[in-house]
Structures are given as C-alpha cells and as structure tokens.
Amino acid sequence: MRTLRKRKPLLKRVADKLDSETLAIISAKDQKSEAHRRYSNARKAKWFESVVKELGELAGPGERCMFCSGSEASDVEHYKPKSVFPQLAMTWENYLWSCTPCNRGKLDRFPPDTGPGGRLINPLDENVWDFFFIDDFGLLTPRYDRQANTLNPRAVTTRDMLSLNRDALQISRKQRIENLKRDVYNCLKLMNLKKLTKKAASEQVEIWKAESWQPDVADFYLNGPGRKSSPFREFFEAITV
C-alpha cells in the first residue's frame, strides 16, 4: 500500500453511463444477478476502457497493485464487493486497481459486514501510513492503537486478508529498502565531497519516486514517516538547508 493520487471525475459520458447502469441494477428484482450481468458486459465494452485507463493512471508508474504495490495490476477491484453491495457494482468511487492475488485473496469478504474483523483500508481514500509502517525487514506492519491497547484492527484485517506480507512481497520490499538506503548514503557522500549539488540531489528524489519497483517503500521513506529515520532524515536536512 502507498499514498495515491486523489480520484478524478470521469468523462461525463462515462459517468452518465455508470449512473444509468446503477439505476437499472437498483430497479431490478434480483440486484445481485443484474449487477453481475451488467458489470460483466461493461468489462467487455469499449466505453469502460476509460475507467480502466484512469485507474491505471491513479496507480502510478508501472500500474502496481493499489493493495500490495508489488505486482502489476490487472483487475478492477470492487472495494465493497458487488455480491454484497450490488448497488455499487457500477460506481466509480467503489473501484480500485489490483493484482489478481490480492483480488482473489479478498474475494467477497468485507468485514464487518461479512464477518469478524476491521473494515478494509481504502488506499485511494485514506492515508495508509496512519495504519501501517514498513520495518527494516520489508514487513508491512500494523501500527499500535493506544486507545484500543492493541494493533490497529483495520490494519491487521487488511494485511491478513490480502496476504500483504507474502514471501515475494517481503523479500522485494527488503531489497528496495537496502537499495534506497545505499543510494541515499551515496548521495550524502557526494554532497559532502561537493560533487553533487542540492538541486541534483532533489532531482534524484523524484527519480526514486518514479521507479515502479515496490513504490510503497519509496513512498514510506521519501513521502511518509520513514523520512524521519536515518539516513533519510540526514539526506532531507542536507538538501533543504
């Protein structure tokens, strides 16, 4: 997970089409069947391509999954599953862009409506770093909720349901952390030797942010709470003084 750009309104003709499809679903006697039928048809339709395109742009470089950040996204994910909330099957604000493993892991579950657990975190609408941090081993770790005297229940449910620490993700995050720290140390060294300007170092930050490999790591350390840890704290102090 990572910070994502805010959702933009769709083209009017596409938004109107989604609205008309939604009205048809709400009016149907069997909303679940109607939602399934209309969404399946929409995924094959030309007009729906702009929805997919916009989701890909929101996901950023490499169109990485909005949940795990590790795999290339390919599925339009219903944040609130259409089998449980059929009236939201054709709602733009209910769409995310995810990889198949995350999509299959979530399936039709949406606690607490469908079972025990905290409500899933929506990476397009919420600041994920209010719920998680990334540790040095590459693990996406729930923050401690002092009021509840336990790990944040929403973070725990989101992590476990989507398997956000599956082996491939953890290994990839750890490698990106090591590489990013190495690059930051090198920049600091070059700046101390007067071989790298503050401007060039600042430009390098934008290059790191644009890399598609595990963008959650870059977001945490270059945009989020990880900026306060070493060597990132020293680096940002050096380029802003």
Side-chain angles (χ1 to χ4, degrees):
M1 287 190 153
R2 60 197 183 279
T3 305
L4 298 166
R5 289 183 295 160
K6 295 301 180 183
R7 197 187 300 264
K8 297 189 302 182
L10 295 170
L11 295 172
K12 186 178 185 304
R13 61 176 177 80
V14 178
D16 289 346
K17 180 64 174 174
L18 286 173
D19 287 343
S20 67
E21 293 287 296
T22 297
L23 286 174
I25 292 170
I26 293 174
S27 302
K29 290 184 179 180
D30 187 345
Q31 291 188 0
K32 290 184 179 181
S33 296
E34 190 69 9
H36 177 76
R37 184 181 71 81
R38 288 185 177 270
Y39 177 72
S40 296
N41 289 340
R43 274 305 260 132
K44 304 169 189 174
K46 188 74 175 176
W47 67 267
F48 200 82
E49 291 178 3
S50 64
V51 175
V52 175
K53 182 176 183 294
E54 182 61 26
L55 286 171
E57 291 178 357
L58 287 170
E63 296 191 16
R64 297 293 173 172
C65 174
M66 291 181 176
F67 286 131
C68 74
S69 296
S71 302
E72 184 177 357
S74 58
D75 299 346
V76 176
E77 161 67 26
H78 291 78
Y79 171 64
K80 293 186 176 181
K82 62 182 181 295
S83 64
V84 183
F85 303 90
Q87 69 276 16
L88 298 178
M90 302 299 289
T91 301
W92 168 232
E93 290 76 16
N94 194 42
Y95 292 155
L96 297 172
W97 194 223
S98 79
C99 66
T100 299
C102 284
N103 197 356
R104 288 179 178 172
K106 180 173 174 284
L107 293 175
D108 296 331
R109 295 180 292 172
F110 192 76
D113 298 79
T114 61
R119 179 165 52 86
L120 286 174
I121 296 163
N122 189 326
L124 264 180
D125 295 338
E126 301 176 274
N127 181 358
V128 299
W129 306 129
D130 288 341
F131 302 92
F132 291 109
F133 67 91
I134 299 177
D135 69 17
D136 289 339
F137 298 100
L139 293 170
L140 189 65
T141 305
R143 291 191 177 278
Y144 191 77
D145 187 331
R146 294 184 181 277
Q147 289 186 335
N149 197 31
T150 187
L151 295 178
N152 186 284
R154 294 185 63 196
V156 170
T157 297
T158 302
R159 177 200 61 187
D160 294 347
M161 183 178 293
L162 302 173
S163 298
L164 295 180
N165 283 329
R166 49 190 186 264
D167 288 349
L169 291 174
Q170 183 264 324
I171 292 170
S172 185
R173 285 196 203 104
K174 186 173 185 294
Q175 187 63 58
R176 182 80 202 271
I177 292 170
E178 292 173 353
N179 288 356
L180 196 55
K181 284 185 176 181
R182 180 201 62 208
D183 292 343
V184 167
Y185 275 123
N186 287 340
C187 281
L188 280 170
K189 182 178 180 180
L190 291 173
M191 290 177 71
N192 289 333
L193 294 173
K194 308 299 183 183
K195 293 183 178 181
L196 183 71
T197 66
K198 292 181 182 180
K199 180 181 178 182
S202 297
E203 292 172 348
Q204 184 60 53
V205 172
E206 298 308 311
I207 293 173
W208 291 329
K209 289 180 181 179
E211 292 177 356
S212 61
W213 178 36
Q214 288 300 149
D216 51 349
V217 171
D219 185 53
F220 179 74
Y221 286 106
L222 303 179
N223 292 326
R227 284 172 61 110
K228 298 179 181 179
S229 63
S230 185
F232 302 97
R233 180 181 65 253
E234 294 84 354
F235 175 77
F236 282 109
E237 288 175 351
I239 64 176
T240 55
V241 172

